[in-house]
Amino acid sequence: MSSEKTIEKFNKHVMQSYGRYPLVMEKGSGRRCKDEDGKEYIDFGSGIGTNSLGYCDEKWADAVCAQVRTLQHNSNYYYTAIQAEFADKLCDISGYSRVFFGNSGAEANECAIKIARKYSFDKYGKGRHTIITLVNSFHGRTMATLSATGQDVFHNYFFPFLEGFVNVKAIDIADLKEKLDDTVCAVMLEYVQGEGGVNALDKEFVDAVYELCAAKDVLVIADEVQTGVGRTGKFLAGDWFGKKADVTTLAKGIAGGVPMGACLVNEKLGNVLTPGTHGSTFGGNPIACAGGLAVIERIESEGFLESVCEKAQYFRNRLEKCSEVGGVSGLGLMIGITLKTKKAADVAKASLDKGLLVLTAKDKVRLLPPLTIEHEEIDAGLDKLLEVLEE
Ligand SMILES: *Cc1c(COP(=O)(O)O)cnc(C)c1O
């Protein structure tokens, strides 16, 4: 089999930083992909929520390819029309004032952290640099975003981690009040903790964060790297909570599978970053912007987000009928499945054997299907998943 050769070659030179399944993805179309041995899979993972329009969506591919043939990159010393157009669209649909473009979720969060600290430094001077993050959060793999991540398993090997991050339990308002002292410049949260187990925050807790932060000119940073860009059935998950953070970070699905991260800020923070204080060689790359524009144009189309909500409900209804399912968490097409007896990793492996890609998050099975998934595909995939669960 050709996949064995590929895997051998791969493992010879690529660092072993992931636990991979022994299969080689070759191509995809719509919500299905094929491996090198010709086996087909229905995709309920979208490359961890990045292929928001599925595989190789025609309009998206046309937009990306046209940009590749026009201007693939230039330095941020010059302007490009495509970056202007994407920034304009993104700010318009999200309700933010300005954006900084990077290439990943971690970079978007790095930017948010720098903005929070500089805003506070500019206005209040040194010593007001602490950022409160939540227990069970996940903010990325760089040194700063690892330090921000509120899970001890990530705080190993790479000592020393960055100073100035403290954690609060996502339900403990009293603890939040106590830790919101005069050293704090921001609170950072995911409305639905993704890697932490697909858990939506409590509305009461979110309300308390906003209220307490507003009273002390402490910024709220919403890490919407996983929840943003239509994933939950609104453009931003914050819309479900009736909240607009000072800073919102996006990545994963933002450009339909081309690397991009974005850090959006409100009016008050629009001028915190000044020339020379932040940068990225690839940030706002024209190809990524073209992909991003195609994604937003689709999300804006009539009835698109309503259909995400409708499909999400459909998923939930079918899953909740299964006797092995202890509960379904998350929001929109960000779905966490609690299992009664089985192990999530075993379910993911058994699903793969049946031709279905799913993800896990802690002890849950996690689904992040492409936003464009159709009912026939949902049914075909759920038939496989429920077969595994009921075995
Ligand atoms: C995936 C993720 C990140 C990290 O994004 P990368 O693109 O892998 O750097 C950060 N925050 C959240 C909430 C995520 O889900």
Side-chain angles (χ1 to χ4, degrees), residues 103-107 109 138-141 190 194-195 223 225-226 251-252:
N103 313 285
S104 67
E107 281 179 62
N109 288 336
F138 180 81
H139 297 299
R141 298 286 195 162
E190 299 155 86
E195 306 304 311
D223 178 349
V225 167
Q226 193 160 154
K252 291 202 163 82

Side-chain angles (χ1 to χ4, degrees), residues 122-190:
D122 289 347
K123 201 162 166 185
Y124 302 99
K126 272 190 177 169
R128 196 175 178 275
H129 56 254
T130 303
I131 295 175
I132 295 180
T133 64
L134 302 184
V135 171
N136 242 349
S137 57
F138 180 81
H139 297 299
R141 298 286 195 162
T142 60
M143 286 305 297
T145 56
L146 268 185
S147 304
T149 291
Q151 300 185 55
D152 286 340
V153 289
F154 288 101
H155 301 151
N156 213 338
Y157 318 121
F158 312 114
F159 305 102
F161 289 89
L162 239 72
E163 282 176 48
F165 293 93
V166 302
N167 304 138
V168 165
K169 275 199 188 136
I171 185 161
D172 196 339
I173 296 173
D175 191 34
L176 173 68
K177 269 187 192 152
E178 196 178 305
K179 288 185 174 144
L180 253 176
D181 60 22
D182 293 340
T183 71
V184 177
C185 64
V187 174
M188 186 165 176
L189 53 82
E190 299 155 86

Side-chain angles (χ1 to χ4, degrees), residues 57-68:
D57 174 87
E58 209 152 313
K59 276 193 182 148
W60 172 88
D62 283 348
V64 168
C65 291
Q67 189 59 48
V68 169

Side-chain angles (χ1 to χ4, degrees), residues 254-320:
I254 189 173
V258 202
M260 166 167 280
C263 178
L264 292 155
V265 298
N266 63 16
E267 198 78 42
K268 148 169 127 172
L269 303 173
N271 292 313
V272 172
L273 294 181
T274 49
T277 54
H278 198 45
S280 160
T281 299
F282 280 117
N285 168 276
I287 302 169
C289 288
L293 261 179
V295 169
I296 291 191
E297 274 162 14
R298 189 70 52 85
I299 288 180
E300 274 182 336
S301 66
E302 177 87 26
F304 187 90
L305 288 174
E306 290 79 359
S307 87
V308 168
C309 294
E310 186 275 316
K311 290 182 285 195
Q313 194 55 50
Y314 187 79
F315 261 102
R316 274 155 222 274
N317 290 346
R318 270 201 77 183
L319 285 166
E320 278 164 0

Side-chain angles (χ1 to χ4, degrees), residues 326-348:
V328 184
S329 66
L331 208 51
L333 285 178
M334 185 170 176
I335 300 169
I337 307 168
T338 302
L339 306 171
K340 284 188 183 155
T341 61
K342 291 184 157 53
K343 288 217 156 35
D346 297 340
V347 170

